[in-house]
């Protein structure tokens, strides 16, 4: 019985560590985006961003913004099928002023996290420009909603499903 309890504890700790890593990645994104501007998301399944409309209430697979230092940053969810196996990653790309090593995997394909869906929703960003019917005299703060769902795969135990959602509201007023 003692060995079974120790084994169950190891599995629980592995799941908790993996969950903490996913939460940490999402919180780091949130922290930097809160003091950013010019939110925009890609709705075409790629990393092409529109030049005019910045809101995307229908969601997208990538989000771009300008951080507090004036650097354009993009986060994107990648889903790649190799040898019949779907591999997913969450990638941070530094766009402004970067020539090599611009991509950083926050959640890699070989981790214990298997993301099945991730969406970025940008709302109220058109208000930064002073346009849009929902902008009540420029008092609407732009915000980004991130949703993610998937599985945590721990050795020797059942997969654990997760659903995360976070709401990021802009802290900077222009």
């Amino acid at each position: 019985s003692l060995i079974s309890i120790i084994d169950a504890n190891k599995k629980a700790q592995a799941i908790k560590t993996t969950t903490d890593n996913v939460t940490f990645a999402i919180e780091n994104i949130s922290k930097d985006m809160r003091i950013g501007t010019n939110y925009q998301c890609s709705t075409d399944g790629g990393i092409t961003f529109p030049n005019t409309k910045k809101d995307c209430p229908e969601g997208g697979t990538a989000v771009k913004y300008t951080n507090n230092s004036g650097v354009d940053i993009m986060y994107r969810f990648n889903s790649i099928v190799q040898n019949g196996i779907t591999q997913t990653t969450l990638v941070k790309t530094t766009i402004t002023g970067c020539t090599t090593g611009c991509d950083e995997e926050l959640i890699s394909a070989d981790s214990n996290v298997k993301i099945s869906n991730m969406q970025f929703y940008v709302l109220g960003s058109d208000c930064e420009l002073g346009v849009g019917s929902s902008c009540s005299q420029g008092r609407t703060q732009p915000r980004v909603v991130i949703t993610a769902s998937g599985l945590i795969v721990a050795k020797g135990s059942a997969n654990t499903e997760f659903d995360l959602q976070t709401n990021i509201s802009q802290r900077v007023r222009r």
Side-chain angles (χ1 to χ4, degrees):
S1 336
L2 184 58
I3 292 172
S4 294
I5 291 171
I6 291 170
D7 189 42
N9 184 43
K10 285 181 184 178
K11 290 175 187 174
Q13 289 299 321
I15 291 170
K16 182 180 181 330
T17 299
T18 304
T19 304
D20 288 347
N21 289 341
V22 171
T23 303
F24 181 73
I26 299 295
E27 284 302 314
N28 275 342
I29 293 170
S30 300
K31 182 181 173 185
D32 194 43
M33 286 186 85
R34 278 189 186 99
I35 54 176
T37 58
N38 303 319
Y39 302 138
Q40 204 172 4
C41 76
S42 172
T43 57
D44 67 359
I47 54 172
T48 305
F49 294 90
N51 291 325
T52 54
K53 190 174 189 298
K54 297 166 72 176
D55 278 3
C56 62
E58 66 280 1
T61 57
V63 66
K64 181 175 80 170
Y65 67 100
T66 304
N67 72 8
N68 195 35
S69 302
V71 175
D72 287 336
I73 303 289
M74 175 180 56
Y75 291 99
R76 71 183 185 277
F77 167 64
N78 280 345
S79 183
I80 302 165
V81 178
Q82 289 182 326
N83 301 326
I85 299 171
T86 302
Q87 297 180 331
T88 56
T89 60
L90 175 59
V91 179
K92 174 184 179 181
T93 303
T94 303
I95 300 170
T96 307
C98 185
T99 56
T100 59
C102 302
D103 286 350
E104 174 188 353
E105 280 190 352
L106 301 178
I107 298 175
S108 67
D110 58 350
S111 72
N112 293 340
V113 179
K114 305 302 176 202
I115 302 170
S116 58
N117 187 30
M118 178 172 268
Q119 292 286 304
F120 300 95
Y121 301 86
V122 176
L123 308 161
S125 65
D126 290 337
C127 295
E128 279 187 298
L129 305 174
V131 298
S133 59
S134 65
C135 305
S136 127
Q137 300 170 359
R139 297 195 174 157
T140 301
Q141 289 292 89
R143 64 187 173 110
V144 176
V145 177
I146 301 172
T147 61
S149 59
L151 292 173
I152 295 172
V153 181
K155 293 179 184 174
S157 74
N159 296 339
T160 303
E161 292 183 16
F162 70 88
D163 290 300
L164 294 172
Q165 178 175 326
T166 190
N167 188 25
I168 304 160
S169 60
Q170 185 184 50
R171 300 287 192 253
V172 176
R173 300 266 317 165
R174 288 206 162 216

